[in-house]
Amino acid sequence: MTTRAELAAMIDHTLLKPEASASDVADLVSEAKTLGVKAVCVSPSQLPLRDTAALTVATVCGFPSGAHTAEVKAAEAARAVADGAAEVDMVVNLALVRAQAFDDVEAEIRAVREACGEAVLKVIIESAALTDEQIVEVCRRAEAAGADYVKTSTGFHPAGGASEHAVRLMAETVAPRLGVKASGGIRTADAALAMVRAGATRLGLSGSAAILAELQEREG
């Protein structure tokens, strides 16, 4: 079974509430250090962050709707990297995905990929809002455009967040060439471990402390 330390090393400790303050973000960073997680993920307006030694800094792009132009997403990604983000989680344009306009989807991802430079790019596909066929194709296009990860969800879409089925399908499509990040609605240790078993290599969690404490208790 995945240990507490192993799970912590997969976690993007996340705070993306619109009302989150600078003080809230500072608390997030402090907690992340205590927990030993991989990264913190915050809104781009909160960058640059302070005192993030040993932590990876991640942010979002085109969040949460994805209904921005490719040019705006690229500019937002470039600014985020200039402000210290080492990883960028971009939201795809769901209207383009549902319209089967996959060449346009790939072009948009590629534009953000180029704007990110050396930063890691994760592509949020909002899997709960897509068919299996759409999930597979958008993952293939993300890979073709140079993404490093595909990610299930923003956590803001009414269709829902991560599911084991979606994570497994995504992993079958792109792993091990790309990572798979499960995010959205993962609130218990059992749920987190289920995502790992399904193929997730990163987890986006806002309740990291409780989940890791639950695992710590099991380990005695």
Side-chain angles (χ1 to χ4, degrees):
M1 188 181 80
T2 304
T3 67
R4 182 216 176 275
E6 289 168 342
L7 193 75
M10 299 170 65
I11 292 174
D12 291 0
H13 192 40
T14 302
L15 179 60
L16 294 170
K17 293 180 180 179
E19 68 273 21
S21 67
S23 176
D24 294 331
V25 171
D27 289 344
L28 179 86
V29 171
S30 178
E31 185 176 50
K33 291 179 179 179
T34 300
L35 295 173
V37 298
K38 166 73 174 177
V40 288
C41 184
V42 300
S43 298
S45 61
Q46 298 288 353
L47 300 174
L49 298 183
R50 296 182 178 179
D51 303 320
T52 56
L55 289 171
T56 298
V57 176
T59 193
V60 289
C61 170
F63 194 88
S65 74
H68 308 64
T69 65
E71 292 81 5
V72 167
K73 289 181 185 179
E76 184 176 30
R79 170 64 185 270
V81 172
D83 284 343
E87 301 187 350
V88 175
D89 295 21
M90 71 165 286
V91 187
V92 296
N93 188 312
L94 287 176
L96 293 178
V97 175
R98 287 183 164 183
Q100 311 293 318
F102 290 110
D103 287 347
D104 293 334
V105 173
E106 183 178 333
E108 177 186 75
I109 298 169
R110 183 172 286 107
V112 177
R113 167 74 277 167
E114 292 173 356
C116 284
E118 297 299 314
V120 168
L121 175 62
K122 309 188 198 93
V123 177
I124 306 172
I125 68 169
E126 211 68 274
S127 56
L130 304 179
T131 66
D132 284 3
E133 293 76 15
Q134 289 167 341
I135 289 172
V136 168
E137 187 60 23
V138 74
C139 285
R140 288 174 176 165
R141 296 305 184 113
E143 180 174 9
D148 300 292
Y149 286 77
V150 287
K151 175 180 170 181
T152 57
S153 320
T154 61
F156 284 73
H157 198 284
S163 70
E164 292 175 60
H165 173 74
V167 169
R168 189 171 294 109
L169 186 59
M170 293 161 70
E172 288 172 353
T173 303
V174 300
R177 300 176 303 280
L178 273 63
V180 176
K181 179 176 172 180
S183 183
I186 305 169
R187 298 185 177 90
T188 66
D190 285 340
L193 293 173
M195 295 302 168
V196 174
R197 288 193 298 271
T201 56
R202 291 282 284 275
L203 300 171
L205 305 176
S206 57
S208 312
I211 288 172
L212 291 173
E214 189 177 346
L215 281 181
Q216 186 72 55
E217 184 176 347
R218 292 183 189 181
E219 293 175 4

